[in-house]
Amino acid sequence: MSDSKKKVCIIGSGNWGSAIAKIVGENAAKLDSFHNEVTMYVYEEMIDGKKLTEIINETHENVKYLPGHKLPPNVVAIPDVTVAATDADILIFVIPHQFIRRICATLLGKIKPTAVGLSLIKGFDKAEGGGIDLISDIISRLLKIQVCVLMGANLANEVAEQNFCETTIGCKDRQLAPLLRDLIQTHHFRVVVVDDVNTVEICGALKNIVACGAGFVDGLKLGDNTKAAVIRLGLMEMIKFVDLFYPGCQVTTFFESCGVADLITTCYGGRNRKISEAFVTTGKSIEELEKEMLNGQKLQGPFTADEVNYMLKSKNLEEKFPLFTAVHKICVGEMPVSKFIDAIRFHPEHSVKETQATA
């Protein structure tokens, strides 16, 4: 990238997209490295007879997805993604992962060839042959640009309220890393950059499956001991998954915000936990609850569980990942939620382990 001021575009304007726009807009306005104006692609909707983009640009508030929080006036909402992204040097992707291929197809040939991407998208996509694609790899392959990732224990409303939290950026480019850190970091939103990009991204996806399991426990009213066991077993499956399919990961990455911290906060406060609890207590389907409770936002856990199961089933590995497998089967109606604990009771991690004392 050249040394001139970098222009930033945020592709997505949901709850998390709007929260990150607040941070990025404020940083762009005060840092010499960035162009003052930040464009934000907004999927156009009508709110009380008025376009959402017009409301955002006039009131500087996303009244649907982040009500009560003002966006900086230099954040400009644009309903056409190609118009928003055309001149951008940094593209921040923060849309539901099931829409990424369509967005990339729209942007192909319409962005700067020198642009770089930063994906905040938590999920996978199915690949041919029984595998899965990382979202960052899809973006990089389709748009032919370098893509880094940002994942962490970052509930959007708490970020917008400027409660202290941490996040993790995965970036291998040592020259780009400080620029991305400066764009995102504030006094309340602290950034750690690591070069273990795949692990950062995979943690962000897999923790949503575990959060569904935590929600089932809450709905079944099984208590904190059981929930702690589910979180621990889920973390072990996350580590095993990365080690098996993406060897070379750094175990320390699981102790960054993208790992255990994101797992904990999602299992106690995230939408996947909330919907999964309601799934148990109301008897309604995941699809019904998503429409009723999420105000147009998308649930990622069941989608990710389906994509992971697609891979595990093709490789005859479902038994090695009983928690991931059980969550998937419950979400698609192949297993009653009452059988969840039975499915993980004799988990492979429940085995005799030797502990060697060291001097």
Side-chain angles (χ1 to χ4, degrees):
M1 299 181 71
S2 66
D3 294 330
S4 60
K5 288 178 180 284
K6 306 299 184 292
K7 186 161 186 178
V8 183
C9 169
I10 300 168
I11 300 175
S13 58
N15 189 228
W16 184 212
S18 298
I20 210 69
K22 184 176 179 182
I23 289 175
V24 170
E26 290 174 353
N27 282 345
K30 69 183 181 182
L31 297 176
D32 292 336
S33 301
F34 303 100
H35 193 284
N36 180 71
E37 182 183 86
V38 174
T39 56
M40 179 171 70
Y41 163 61
V42 176
Y43 178 78
E44 194 68 281
E45 301 178 63
M46 299 302 293
I47 308 294
D48 296 327
K50 194 166 186 177
K51 293 179 179 179
L52 181 56
T53 52
E54 293 179 356
I55 295 173
I56 292 173
N57 289 332
E58 291 173 8
T59 68
H60 307 297
E61 180 181 351
N62 189 333
V63 295
K64 180 169 184 179
Y65 295 111
L66 196 67
H69 295 281
K70 289 292 184 180
L71 299 177
N74 60 319
V75 175
V76 180
I78 299 175
D80 186 324
V81 68
T82 58
V83 173
T86 297
D87 297 323
D89 298 291
I90 300 173
L91 300 166
I92 300 176
F93 293 87
V94 56
I95 57 175
H97 78 281
Q98 52 266 42
F99 302 135
I100 193 61
R101 290 183 186 272
R102 178 167 57 83
I103 288 291
C104 286
T106 303
L107 291 176
L108 183 61
K110 307 289 179 57
I111 62 172
K112 286 184 175 181
T114 56
V116 297
L118 180 65
S119 175
L120 280 61
I121 302 173
K122 298 181 176 181
F124 300 122
D125 200 10
K126 292 179 181 177
E128 293 182 6
I132 58 174
D133 262 342
L134 300 183
I135 300 302
S136 64
D137 287 343
I138 294 173
I139 299 170
S140 180
R141 186 171 65 247
L142 295 181
L143 294 181
K144 299 176 176 59
I145 61 173
Q146 179 183 354
V147 181
C148 304
V149 298
L150 181 151
M151 306 284 159
N154 307 142
L155 297 179
N157 285 350
E158 294 184 16
V159 172
E161 289 165 5
Q162 299 188 337
N163 295 341
F164 174 76
C165 66
E166 301 173 309
T167 200
T168 311
I169 290 179
C171 176
K172 293 182 181 295
D173 187 330
R174 293 188 178 183
Q175 290 186 319
L176 178 60
L179 186 73
L180 296 178
R181 180 201 61 210
D182 292 348
L183 178 62
I184 300 295
Q185 184 160 264
T186 71
H187 71 283
H188 65 273
F189 195 67
R190 308 304 294 173
V191 175
V192 173
V193 182
V194 300
D195 62 5
D196 190 9
V197 180
N198 286 347
T199 304
V200 173
E201 181 168 6
I202 294 166
C203 283
L206 293 180
K207 56 93 181 182
N208 284 327
I209 305 177
V210 186
C212 290
F216 296 152
V217 169
D218 288 341
L220 293 167
K221 303 190 186 317
L222 296 177
D224 287 337
N225 290 344
T226 304
K227 190 169 180 178
V230 166
I231 293 172
R232 188 192 77 83
L233 293 171
L235 176 61
M236 296 307 295
E237 289 196 13
M238 289 168 61
I239 294 171
K240 183 190 296 184
F241 185 93
V242 175
D243 187 54
L244 185 61
F245 297 116
Y246 297 87
C249 70
Q250 301 165 21
V251 175
T252 54
T253 305
F254 291 96
F255 296 96
E256 297 293 349
S257 183
C258 63
V260 65
D262 196 8
L263 177 63
I264 291 169
T265 195
T266 305
C267 286
Y268 278 90
R271 71 184 72 158
N272 291 281
R273 188 220 62 82
K274 181 179 179 181
I275 294 291
S276 296
E277 179 183 18
F279 173 77
V280 179
T281 58
T282 67
K284 295 180 180 180
S285 70
I286 295 289
E287 293 77 12
E288 288 176 309
L289 293 167
E290 183 182 59
K291 291 177 182 177
E292 290 179 12
M293 300 173 64
L294 294 187
N295 192 33
Q297 297 177 83
K298 294 296 181 182
L299 199 66
Q300 299 302 315
F303 272 110
T304 305
D306 178 67
E307 289 150 356
V308 166
N309 187 258
Y310 170 75
M311 187 172 186
L312 296 179
K313 193 170 186 178
S314 72
K315 300 180 183 299
N316 296 315
L317 289 171
E318 287 179 294
E319 290 185 0
K320 298 291 185 182
F321 295 86
L323 192 149
F324 289 172
T325 300
V327 168
H328 167 69
K329 289 184 175 180
I330 291 168
C331 288
V332 299
E334 294 179 7
M335 177 190 291
V337 70
S338 60
K339 298 292 185 182
F340 177 56
I341 298 302
D342 286 340
I344 64 172
R345 191 182 301 275
F346 301 105
H347 198 281
E349 288 302 320
H350 292 147
S351 59
V352 178
K353 298 179 181 180
E354 294 183 0
T355 301
Q356 182 177 356
T358 58

